[in-house]
Amino acid sequence: MSKIWDVAIVGSGPAGSTAAMTLAKAGFKTVLIEKDKLPRYKVCGGAIPQEFVEKMKIPNEIIERKFDSLILHHLGDEIYRKGEGACVWRSDLDKYMTDLAVNANATLLEGSKIIKATSKNQIFTLFTYNSKIQSRILIAADGVPSTILKSFGWKSFPQNDIAQTLTYEIKISEKNIDKRLGETSMHLYFGKKDICDIGYAWLFPKREVISVGWGCELSKIKNVREEFQNFLKIVKNVIHDGKTIKKAAHLVPVGFQNKFNDNGLVAVGDAAGFVDPLSGKGIAYAASSGVIAGKVIKKALEEENKQIISTEYEKELNSEFLKALKAKKKIQPDVYKSDDNIRRFLNLWKDNRSTIIAQKLWDLKDN
Ligand SMILES: Cc1cc2nc3c(=O)[nH]c(=O)nc-3n(C[C@H](O)[C@H](O)[C@H](O)COP(=O)(O)OP(=O)(O)OC[C@H]3O[C@@H](n4cnc5c(N)ncnc54)[C@H](O)[C@@H]3O)c2cc1C
């Protein structure tokens, strides 16, 4: 009879690796399955907050650039916001985090794309092109769109809960990046008139490359290429002599799944929609959801009671970050209603955490 893992996790991004680390550390037979071979390029701005750097003990070698501020551009004006963090390549970050899981005794199956998943008699079966993997619990950490959730009939995100992004990685000398963008600033560009209807664009500098990105809610896009090219024109003084070394498109969820678990199937990270609907940040939430899923599953397996996942997973997510993300989702249409509203929000964000602003505006709306 083939081996039955306690937990199979599909996807070795920040959500999958933290879930694997938590469960393997607790002594469960844990397999982490990744379609690519690590390290692999993953399209992402790679900006992570300082708390995450410290919590995950991110080593200096993989930090491309530290930052201490965000420059918020809006229709030609600049607003300065303090904000500490680091910019990394996801190839390095994800390899580092996956190694933590492997060192904790998780088994990593790289280059193994799951094409379908089924369940019968409380056992999940995952199919690659040439093998089968079985487990008692299954974690969907495979981002968007999620093959795993689709296999079990979960709905894909509607157009107003998903953003389309485009990225160019543009190589420029470190000296020129420092001169043109400042050594320690990330740049975000907002504006319904010149950037996009609901979303924003960014220049996130690594050491010798600028990740030039643009993201807009899918339902609001008129012409992706044209809108992205307009942004490139706006920042041409920064990138004009750079060499484009990579072009990539990817989706980001800006809304949530209707449920986060179902009878031993647990969704984490982007697959569940755990991304800040205002900023598109998702790395830290993905990692946090992986840890929470790991802890709740540990309890369920120890007590041989899967019901624990249903009663505790969402509760834990809410108290850690999900309640705040829901508030942001609720105020997002108002923030992006007009350029005046965007400016008001940016002026508040300048001195306050977006979570606090969202919570206050949400409370005002409800009362
Ligand atoms: C352009 C862009 C810029 C972004 N910038 C930032 C940023 O600066 N800061 C930030 O915090 N967030 C950013 N995000 C969001 C962030 O990238 C995600 O929220 C985060 O990667 C989610 O992590 P995850 O582990 O849930 O999924 P992912 O990181 O997407 O990982 C999923 C993994 O599953 C694997 N996989 C998928 N399907 C299968 C399959 N069938 N079988 C096996 N393996 C599979 C994939 O190869 C991948 O390794 C950005 C996103 C985009 C698109």
Side-chain angles (χ1 to χ4, degrees), residues 11 13-15 34-35 40 42 44-47 90 114 141-142 269-270 282-283:
E34 169 57 47
K35 68 176 166 58
R40 50 88 179 96
K42 160 88 177 81
C44 184
R90 285 291 301 277
I114 302 300
D142 51 344
D270 276 17
I283 297 171

Side-chain angles (χ1 to χ4, degrees), residues 12-24:
S12 72
S17 58
T18 47
M21 187 172 33
T22 309
L23 285 153

